[in-house]
Amino acid sequence: MTELTQSLRESFTQRTNGPLRLLREAAFARFAKLGLPTTQDEDWKYTSLAALAQMRFELAAEATVHDVDRWTLSDAAVRLTFVNGRYRPELSSRAPGGAFIGSLSAALVERPELVERELARHADSHGDALTALNTAFIEDGAFVHLPAGAALQAPIHLLYVSTAPGKPTLSQPRNLIVAGANSQATVVETYAGLDNEVYFTNAVTEVVLGDNARVDHYKLQAESARAFHVALTQIHQGRDSRFSSHSVALGAALARNEVRALFASEGSECTLNGLYMATGKQHLDNRTLIDHKSPRCTSRELYKGVLDGHSRGVFSGRVLVRQDAQKTDASQTNKNLLLSDDAIVDTKPQLEIFADDVKCAHGAAVGQLDENALFYLRSRGIGQEAARSLLTYAFASEMVNLVPLGPLRARVRDLVTSKLPAFERLKEAA
Amino acid sequence: MTRSELLLRVKDLHATVGGKEILRGIDLEVGPGEVHAIMGPNGSGKSTFAQVLAGRETFEVTKGEVLYQGQDLLALSPEERAVAGIFMAFQYPVEIPGVGNLYFLRTALNALRKRRGEEELDAMDFLALAKQKMKLVAMDESFTGRSVNEGFSGGEKKRNEIFQMAVLDPRLAILDETDSGLDIDALRTVASGVNSLRSKDRAMIVITHYQRLLEYIVPDRVHVMGNGRIVRSGGRELALELEQKGYAQVEGRREAAR
Amino acid sequence: MSTSAKTLQELTNRQYKHGFVTDIEADTVPRGLNEDVIRLISAKKNEPEFMLDWRLKAYRHWLTMKEPRWQNVRYPPIDYQDIVYYSAPKPKGQGPKSLEEVDPELLKAFEKLGIPLEEQKRLSGVAVDAVFDSVSVATTFKEKLAKAGVIFSSFSEAVQKHPDLVKKYLGSVVPYSDNFFATLNSAVFSDGSFVYIPKGVRCPMELSTYFRINAENTGQFERTLIVAEEGSYVSYLEGCTAPMRDKNQLHAAVVELVALDNAQIKYSTVQNWYPGDAQGKGGIYNFVTKRGAARGRASKISWTQVETGSAITWKYPSVILQGDDAVGEFHSVALTNNYQQADTGTKMIHIGKNTRSTILSKGISAGHGQNTYRGLVKIQKGATGSRNYTQCDSLLLGNRCGAHTMPYIEVKNTSSQVEHEASTSKIGEDQLFYCTQRGISEEDAVSMIVNGFCREVFKELPMEFAVEAQKLLSVSLEGSIG
């Protein structure tokens, strides 16, 4: 048994009470059986958790925090702040009426019937060890419930900050977003490290869209450079619903972000966009699954990676078109920019198609900055480093510009440019 | 003209697609050698009518009959209709990647010849025939090496349709908006190709949205379609009237008269 | 059901043309596998010591291995003790010295397959090595080739006559420990073809091997080795068929190619093993390891395959691009109809500088067929300035089949470009209508469109094979939609 599993077992036995006891016990048993995945598992071929397995983490302790304000979004309708996975009302703002937007722990007490209908019914705790682990420790997170027809224009901001002075900490937020029929909302998840510390975030978000609902989901991953981050966003789409996901992965020493969408009924649309930018020895793994289980659904996917230093980027995207999913229209693209001789990229786009009346395409590319363009910029007097940064930004900006104008786009742009060496000057250019 | 002399007789033709009625009772008679123009606004059912005559299975005929050379046309498959001499120039000619243009046409011609009990043409004889017909629409030789319609410009595709018509030598040619998307030079080339194929045995149904084409291909009869029916018929002058007054007014007169 | 579906359904159950059995006395070893069987095979072939040692090493390693299960194909467990590992037509007397002495039954069998072995009947541009069950029965045009310095013989003969060459190159591309089926092959392989093209020689004719499985319950384990010395060129073709039987038969071959400086090897396959019947009963399990080492500077290895047969096809003809400026190509048409399964593709391993590879894969699925493209493009750190372009297109005919595209791209080098594009579609209703409106029957239209879809690959095949491949595709497609 690894150090990690041992330490988890100890903490699990300390806290098995509560309303979700059976669910949690079953999930822990699954986790114990599956163990941490290794590179022998096809799903983890390019990402090793060996370093994680050797560590002991403390579960979310009460902690004091500082500078949380720099991560807030000025136009958010409501902000829920979590420190090491626990809801902190004093750092949060009040929700507008008409919807339940609050902590999962509170919802379990106040509206258990709303929570239990969907919680842990979509994310796979059976085959996926880390999801099982999260489920085993369900305690807190965000719960958003939009009744039928509710439309929130301003974003709901879920902010997860981690701090681990002294010992490495583990936080496992569990989020549930339920959008009733014809409802509409924008949800932003931000994961940030306050100091350059070692900690492990293992997050699971389940998003359930009713008929004709629309949810736009943004995720900014800006964990500390020494952190581990593993997250699953599981989406369940009702008829004629529209979901979009924009994932921006910039932080963490090792991060794995997985998005899985299921078309449970026909006529829906799903857009999955992602940007990953790694420097130093970062390892950023991105994984997507779009399950076309129903006819006449459309999916669009675009992931872009920028890999510098000794970093490694992984993209593994799977589009599954089941036998009944006629008239599926799916396209998937992954593009990577390698900036350094020591950077590595592994990409694995997959189409699995069992229906015949479909239009599916995918493409993947790995390349470098265009020498001609570099030369052009330098011949105009722009220094080599600035020219490289500018062209790199140009590659990444397509993803930035997919975020609607406003404080969120500004935040994404700032995070992206801060990863580039000559970013101070670029701020003006961007 | 007596019934037996008619090449095509359409009677109360109704057709639907996905349960929606597009043709709502078309009547039309075409004799050998005649050129009929069918005009009408978008959505009036012109193209549907053409495709139903050619046998497209997307459309379901729910009522009415079509006699071609005295025979029940609706009972035939598309390829049987082709064998019987019906040719449709497509509004949007289809690309078939990897299949050579001439190979395709030779396969088609030989399929027709074989079913008619004629001898198939070998590659050399066919090439001679093709080269002669290519001149009709001023096609250059580079055309022959390319895949069917793949990478063709709009004008090239339309010329290719008329070239195919010249080679396949049909008795009834249906030109479905052959003029749309053509500039004036291309239109002249296509029209002169069509005109050279007019003969006393061959009838044509020319479907168009614009009067312009009829300056080059002069029809014997003009029909105006609206809402799935032929709402007016007349001579060449009807096209000019349409040009001046627009579809709404011309159709409106029919509605008022009803 | 649309007319097109109906027309195609009416065409079901066209007979597999090559399904006959030749009645010939065979020399077989007892069923099952152990060291004695391997010693027996080696002894029958009168092999030198090093060969037996190598086989035994492979066998002992094989005992420690597990059958792979990651591929996207399903089949019941294979009982390796229920297979006959060696079967050869019994020689009359000392075995044939020339074509005149080959058993006329065998000549007839090959003639029936469209492969007349008498040289005067052959197309003068192609030399043939004919392999019947476990052994090579005849090789044509040997003298003509010998004049050019080209060695083209059965593997067994090469072991006798050119042991040094065999010793030097055998297992140098696919080591005996490579993978479960290649290791099994290393232990028990019975024959195959051997080609050696000396320095600077352009092989004067196409070389080809025709593989025929005849005996029941046997596995076929042949091994082909082609070595192209500096500045040489060879084009090699292989074809394969088997009788129709209810029981699945295993075919686990290994092909090794070695290309030295500026050498070029063009390897084409038209694979038409018995695919099983329309209900998925019987057919060949085609589990093959094919790999080329483009060792020399500016060497080139090109694989072209047309895979229409076999119940299960599982193979990835690969190129290891070791020499600087080396070129690797893979062109593939894979068709699965009825209950056929294929998991096929390639690996391009870029090691040398400025190496280039191109992958063009066309998959066609019909009936209940499952067709997977799986390909690895790996750019190693030292492979500066390397390029790969991959295009995978899938065509679906019918709604019970599947098409899957699983590329793996691993890049460790910043000056390289890798591009992958894939599409999946069905034959358009508008394409079919366009053809039928011109008088072409639906059946011909489908075959015409499918052949057009594959044309880029067919044009890589030598002329006679291209024609054969087109015909094969039309036959294999019959009854494809229900």
Side-chain angles (χ1 to χ4, degrees):
Chain A
M1 195 181 298
T2 65
E3 278 295 309
L4 179 71
T5 327
Q6 182 60 41
S7 71
L8 288 168
R9 189 175 287 280
E10 288 160 16
S11 11
F12 186 74
T13 44
Q14 288 163 22
R15 45 173 76 206
T16 44
N17 289 321
L20 301 169
R21 194 176 148 189
L22 284 177
L23 173 71
R24 291 170 47 166
E25 280 180 352
F28 193 81
R30 270 318 284 176
F31 171 72
K33 182 142 198 290
L34 294 166
L36 269 192
T38 70
T39 52
Q40 298 299 304
D41 296 295
E42 177 72 17
D43 288 354
W44 291 84
K45 187 176 158 82
Y46 297 117
T47 297
S48 167
L49 294 179
L52 191 68
Q54 295 319 311
M55 302 189 64
R56 291 185 81 93
F57 292 96
E58 296 205 339
L59 288 186
E62 297 296 320
T64 52
V65 289
H66 57 90
D67 290 339
V68 172
D69 283 355
R70 59 185 273 247
W71 294 105
T72 59
L73 282 174
S74 61
D75 67 337
V78 52
R79 181 179 75 250
L80 306 183
T81 303
F82 299 82
V83 176
N84 291 355
R86 295 306 298 264
Y87 178 61
R88 294 283 282 265
E90 78 279 13
L91 299 170
S92 304
S93 67
R94 286 192 62 82
F100 187 104
I101 303 172
S103 75
L104 183 70
S105 51
L108 279 167
V109 177
E110 294 166 27
R111 306 294 303 274
E113 78 290 351
L114 282 185
V115 177
E116 282 162 17
R117 203 180 299 150
E118 305 289 356
L119 183 71
R121 298 195 187 269
H122 304 286
D124 174 18
S125 292
H126 189 80
D128 182 351
L130 286 143
T131 304
L133 180 61
N134 177 289
T135 304
F137 286 86
I138 286 184
E139 197 157 347
D140 211 349
F143 178 62
V144 175
H145 184 273
L146 301 168
L152 275 182
Q153 295 307 323
I156 298 163
H157 189 199
L158 311 178
L159 172 60
Y160 305 86
V161 295
S162 287
T163 179
K167 285 184 182 162
T169 54
L170 165 62
S171 56
Q172 303 203 69
R174 178 65 170 233
N175 308 304
L176 176 60
I177 297 163
V178 181
N182 300 306
S183 67
Q184 186 177 336
T186 299
V187 178
V188 181
E189 291 182 35
T190 302
Y191 291 83
L194 295 179
D195 297 291
N196 191 19
E197 293 160 341
V198 180
Y199 59 89
F200 173 26
T201 304
N202 178 35
V204 172
T205 301
E206 289 172 293
V207 186
V208 185
L209 287 87
D211 292 355
N212 208 38
R214 174 175 182 167
V215 172
D216 295 304
H217 182 262
Y218 297 86
K219 181 183 164 187
L220 309 184
Q221 188 270 98
E223 304 274 28
S224 98
R226 294 165 65 202
F228 298 90
H229 177 96
V230 176
L232 167 69
T233 305
Q234 174 75 51
I235 302 114
H236 182 91
Q237 291 192 247
R239 191 184 181 100
D240 299 322
S241 61
R242 277 164 297 158
F243 176 82
S244 75
S245 148
H246 304 261
S247 151
V248 179
L250 304 167
L254 184 153
R256 155 115 152 182
N257 190 52
E258 179 159 8
V259 182
R260 296 177 173 219
L262 171 71
F263 287 119
S265 188
E266 54 191 277
S268 296
E269 288 173 27
C270 177
T271 303
L272 303 185
N273 293 324
L275 173 67
Y276 45 103
M277 292 178 77
T279 51
K281 290 188 169 173
Q282 273 186 295
H283 182 113
L284 298 181
D285 182 343
N286 304 273
R287 202 173 162 77
T288 64
L289 165 65
I290 300 178
D291 188 343
H292 281 266
K293 200 182 163 200
S294 306
R296 280 180 288 282
C297 292
T298 300
S299 65
R300 293 283 175 269
E301 190 172 359
L302 174 62
Y303 267 72
K304 280 187 154 186
V306 178
L307 295 315
D308 204 350
H310 287 75
S311 70
R312 185 168 185 180
V314 179
F315 173 78
S316 170
R318 191 166 158 225
V319 174
L320 173 61
V321 180
R322 297 186 191 257
Q323 197 171 337
D324 294 331
Q326 300 294 2
K327 305 282 179 198
T328 286
D329 181 350
S331 86
Q332 179 194 61
T333 305
N334 173 231
K335 291 181 178 170
N336 296 282
L337 188 60
L338 275 181
L339 294 177
S340 143
D341 269 343
D342 298 310
I344 296 177
V345 66
D346 300 296
T347 167
K348 205 176 103 184
Q350 296 180 54
L351 291 176
E352 281 180 74
I353 297 165
F354 294 93
D356 70 329
D357 190 2
V358 300
K359 213 168 82 187
C360 298
H362 73 191
V366 180
Q368 304 74 43
L369 292 177
D370 179 355
E371 285 300 325
N372 279 327
L374 260 183
F375 177 71
Y376 182 78
L377 289 179
R378 293 176 69 191
S379 74
R380 295 294 179 268
I382 299 171
Q384 169 135 349
E385 196 172 31
R388 286 173 64 88
S389 289
L390 195 61
L391 290 174
T392 305
Y393 183 76
F395 176 82
S397 65
E398 182 183 2
M399 308 312 295
V400 176
N401 294 336
L402 287 171
V403 180
L405 267 176
L408 183 60
R409 188 195 287 185
R411 167 70 43 78
V412 172
R413 194 185 58 214
D414 288 351
L415 287 171
V416 166
T417 49
S418 70
K419 291 284 276 193
L420 300 167
F423 84 98
E424 282 304 333
R425 278 162 64 186
L426 274 169
K427 272 194 170 159
E428 299 149 37
Chain B
M1 201 175 297
T2 66
R3 194 180 158 146
S4 62
E5 284 168 352
L6 280 176
L7 184 65
L8 181 76
R9 181 190 162 97
V10 180
K11 215 179 147 186
D12 196 27
L13 183 67
H14 290 249
T16 60
V17 62
K20 192 179 166 216
E21 190 162 53
I22 310 278
L23 301 186
R24 301 156 187 260
I26 291 195
D27 294 287
L28 180 71
E29 296 186 347
V30 178
E34 293 176 2
V35 174
H36 290 241
I38 296 182
M39 305 185 66
N42 287 331
S44 58
K46 304 185 302 278
S47 276
T48 301
F49 180 46
Q51 297 189 57
V52 166
L53 289 182
R56 185 150 207 165
E57 285 154 358
T58 320
F59 304 98
E60 195 189 342
V61 173
T62 47
K63 198 177 163 194
E65 65 170 5
V66 180
L67 294 178
Y68 171 77
Q69 295 179 318
Q71 212 188 346
D72 177 11
L73 186 70
L74 298 176
L76 303 181
S77 68
E79 59 268 39
E80 286 165 338
R81 298 183 200 201
V83 171
I86 290 182
F87 175 92
M88 181 172 94
F90 282 52
Q91 182 182 1
Y92 304 108
V94 177
E95 300 187 1
I96 310 178
V99 176
N101 212 24
L102 282 196
Y103 174 76
F104 170 77
L105 191 52
R106 181 156 66 93
T107 308
L109 179 63
N110 280 336
L112 297 182
R113 293 179 70 101
K114 199 169 155 191
R115 296 223 209 164
R116 290 171 185 158
E118 297 162 10
E119 213 172 295
E120 297 183 28
L121 287 187
D122 66 25
M124 293 315 291
D125 289 346
F126 175 76
L127 193 63
L129 172 73
K131 281 193 170 164
Q132 178 206 334
K133 302 291 185 191
M134 279 168 70
K135 288 185 196 139
L136 287 180
V137 282
M139 275 169 75
D140 71 78
E141 299 237 348
S142 71
F143 229 66
T144 58
R146 292 154 69 182
S147 296
V148 179
N149 291 320
E150 196 186 31
F152 284 28
S153 69
E156 284 175 326
K157 283 183 180 170
K158 296 298 173 77
R159 277 193 281 159
N160 197 23
E161 294 295 286
I162 303 307
F163 163 59
Q164 291 184 10
M165 169 174 152
V167 171
L168 299 178
D169 193 23
R171 290 222 55 207
L172 173 64
I174 304 156
L175 310 186
D176 187 4
E177 301 210 14
T178 297
D179 55 327
S180 58
L182 295 186
D183 62 31
I184 196 71
D185 288 340
L187 180 66
R188 279 200 193 109
T189 312
V190 166
S192 89
V194 172
N195 283 329
S196 68
L197 294 169
R198 285 179 82 152
S199 77
K200 64 176 174 35
D201 296 326
R202 180 166 17 241
M204 294 188 193
I205 296 175
V206 180
I207 289 170
T208 181
H209 187 74
Y210 309 103
Q211 198 275 140
R212 183 181 73 154
L213 176 69
L214 305 183
E215 289 171 19
Y216 298 94
I217 303 172
V218 180
D220 300 306
R221 297 284 291 164
V222 175
H223 310 277
V224 180
M225 271 188 81
N227 203 19
R229 291 187 197 94
I230 290 179
V231 293
R232 285 203 47 202
S233 296
R236 163 96 180 89
E237 66 290 346
L238 180 57
L240 292 173
E241 188 188 332
L242 273 178
E243 179 80 353
Q244 283 153 14
K245 299 186 180 164
Y247 285 117
Q249 225 180 80
V250 172
E251 272 180 72
R253 269 178 50 181
R254 161 62 154 62
E255 295 300 320
R258 203 162 49 166
Chain C
M1 194 190 297
S2 72
T3 333
S4 68
K6 228 165 18 199
T7 329
L8 284 160
Q9 195 179 43
E10 279 158 13
L11 293 161
T12 5
N13 299 334
R14 169 87 61 104
Q15 291 287 304
Y16 176 73
K17 279 198 307 192
H18 310 294
F20 63 90
V21 178
T22 305
D23 187 13
I24 195 153
E25 208 184 337
D27 174 14
T28 54
V29 300
R31 225 174 257 254
L33 187 56
N34 52 48
E35 291 203 3
D36 290 343
V37 166
I38 290 164
R39 285 176 206 281
L40 189 60
I41 293 173
S42 188
K44 275 184 185 298
K45 308 186 80 64
N46 192 28
E47 285 180 348
E49 191 78 18
F50 82 89
M51 284 298 301
L52 177 62
D53 289 349
W54 198 72
R55 287 175 183 278
L56 289 173
K57 238 182 348 189
Y59 175 68
R60 286 164 196 156
H61 187 73
W62 182 74
L63 291 174
T64 70
M65 299 172 96
K66 272 204 187 118
E67 199 172 326
R69 283 287 167 187
W70 48 262
Q71 64 275 37
N72 192 19
V73 299
R74 305 278 166 271
Y75 58 92
I78 296 172
D79 181 355
Y80 291 93
Q81 296 305 333
D82 195 33
I83 292 173
V84 173
Y85 286 86
Y86 183 85
S87 172
K90 222 168 217 170
K92 305 227 161 113
Q94 271 301 307
K97 286 277 175 296
S98 68
L99 277 173
E100 288 72 50
E101 292 171 38
V102 174
D103 188 328
E105 277 300 312
L106 281 175
L107 291 181
K108 247 195 272 174
F110 280 99
E111 184 140 3
K112 206 164 158 187
L113 294 167
I115 318 288
L117 296 176
E118 291 93 328
E119 293 184 4
Q120 65 276 16
K121 288 193 191 169
R122 289 294 304 169
L123 294 156
S124 53
V126 186
V128 180
D129 182 24
V131 177
F132 194 84
D133 289 337
S134 298
V135 297
S136 165
V137 293
T139 309
T140 63
F141 292 107
K142 275 166 97 165
E143 285 75 29
K144 185 169 176 194
L145 290 166
K147 270 184 206 147
V150 172
I151 303 170
F152 178 39
S153 72
S154 71
F155 206 101
S156 319
E157 190 181 324
V159 168
Q160 303 300 327
K161 291 191 179 163
H162 311 282
D164 294 345
L165 282 175
V166 172
K167 203 169 177 177
K168 182 168 174 190
Y169 290 107
L170 174 70
S172 76
V173 186
V174 181
Y176 72 83
S177 56
D178 195 78
N179 70 71
F180 186 85
F181 293 107
T183 300
L184 176 62
N185 171 288
S186 302
V188 303
F189 80 94
S190 40
D191 214 338
S193 298
F194 176 83
V195 176
Y196 177 83
I197 316 287
K199 192 170 164 176
V201 171
R202 191 181 167 88
C203 186
M205 51 175 51
E206 305 270 356
L207 304 184
S208 86
T209 302
Y210 194 90
F211 295 101
R212 172 71 178 170
I213 293 180
N214 186 62
E216 209 164 353
N217 301 323
T218 58
Q220 181 150 331
F221 306 92
E222 80 275 356
R223 196 160 182 119
T224 297
L225 174 58
I226 300 179
V227 179
E229 288 278 5
E230 209 179 309
S232 66
Y233 168 88
V234 62
S235 167
Y236 178 91
L237 334 163
E238 64 172 357
C240 3
T241 57
M244 291 159 50
R245 295 191 199 281
D246 287 348
K247 221 178 142 186
N248 298 105
Q249 277 179 284
L250 177 64
H251 170 250
V254 171
V255 175
E256 297 181 275
L257 311 181
V258 179
L260 300 175
D261 285 2
N262 296 303
Q264 262 192 55
I265 302 176
K266 190 172 163 60
Y267 193 106
S268 313
T269 304
V270 174
Q271 186 264 106
N272 186 26
W273 294 117
Y274 177 54
D277 66 12
Q279 279 68 49
K281 195 160 191 202
I284 301 290
Y285 291 164
N286 189 35
F287 300 160
V288 171
T289 304
K290 290 181 166 179
R291 195 175 302 154
R295 263 179 216 166
R297 217 183 53 74
S299 55
K300 178 175 173 182
I301 288 179
S302 139
W303 297 101
T304 302
Q305 60 173 24
V306 177
E307 303 280 326
T308 59
S310 296
I312 302 177
T313 295
W314 181 56
K315 62 182 244 197
Y316 313 94
S318 307
V319 184
I320 303 169
L321 298 140
Q322 288 165 296
D324 292 350
D325 301 307
V327 176
E329 291 176 345
F330 175 74
H331 308 105
S332 170
V333 167
L335 179 146
T336 50
N337 193 5
N338 297 322
Y339 286 86
Q340 284 178 274
Q341 309 173 63
D343 191 319
T344 184
T346 183
K347 295 185 210 172
M348 292 289 173
I349 314 291
H350 292 255
I351 298 170
K353 292 184 176 53
N354 300 315
T355 44
R356 280 169 293 147
S357 64
T358 308
I359 298 170
L360 179 59
S361 162
K362 302 277 182 177
I364 301 148
S365 313
H368 291 85
Q370 295 296 327
N371 206 324
T372 301
Y373 166 83
R374 189 188 301 274
L376 169 67
V377 174
K378 194 171 193 161
I379 312 273
Q380 301 284 47
K381 204 168 157 127
T384 52
S386 295
R387 298 272 179 277
N388 163 269
Y389 176 73
T390 300
Q391 189 187 329
C392 297
D393 297 317
S394 305
L395 196 61
L396 291 155
L397 307 170
N399 52 15
R400 288 164 305 171
C401 52
H404 318 295
T405 314
M406 305 196 178
Y408 296 64
I409 302 167
E410 304 175 11
V411 182
K412 298 190 171 149
N413 180 302
T414 172
S415 61
S416 297
Q417 297 274 0
V418 177
E419 254 182 282
H420 169 96
E421 282 177 41
S423 73
T424 303
S425 54
K426 67 167 192 170
I427 290 190
E429 190 263 334
D430 53 345
Q431 285 180 324
L432 278 179
F433 179 61
Y434 192 67
C435 295
T436 53
Q437 207 296 311
R438 296 296 182 257
I440 299 167
S441 69
E442 294 228 355
E443 179 193 344
D444 290 347
V446 169
S447 141
M448 180 185 267
I449 293 166
V450 169
N451 272 303
F453 174 77
C454 300
R455 191 164 79 160
E456 291 159 273
V457 173
F458 287 163
K459 71 173 199 252
E460 298 295 328
L461 287 170
M463 188 66 120
E464 309 92 81
F465 261 42
V467 175
E468 180 68 18
Q470 272 190 33
K471 274 195 237 151
L472 202 53
L473 206 59
S474 310
V475 172
S476 301
L477 260 179
E478 274 158 5
S480 60
I481 297 182

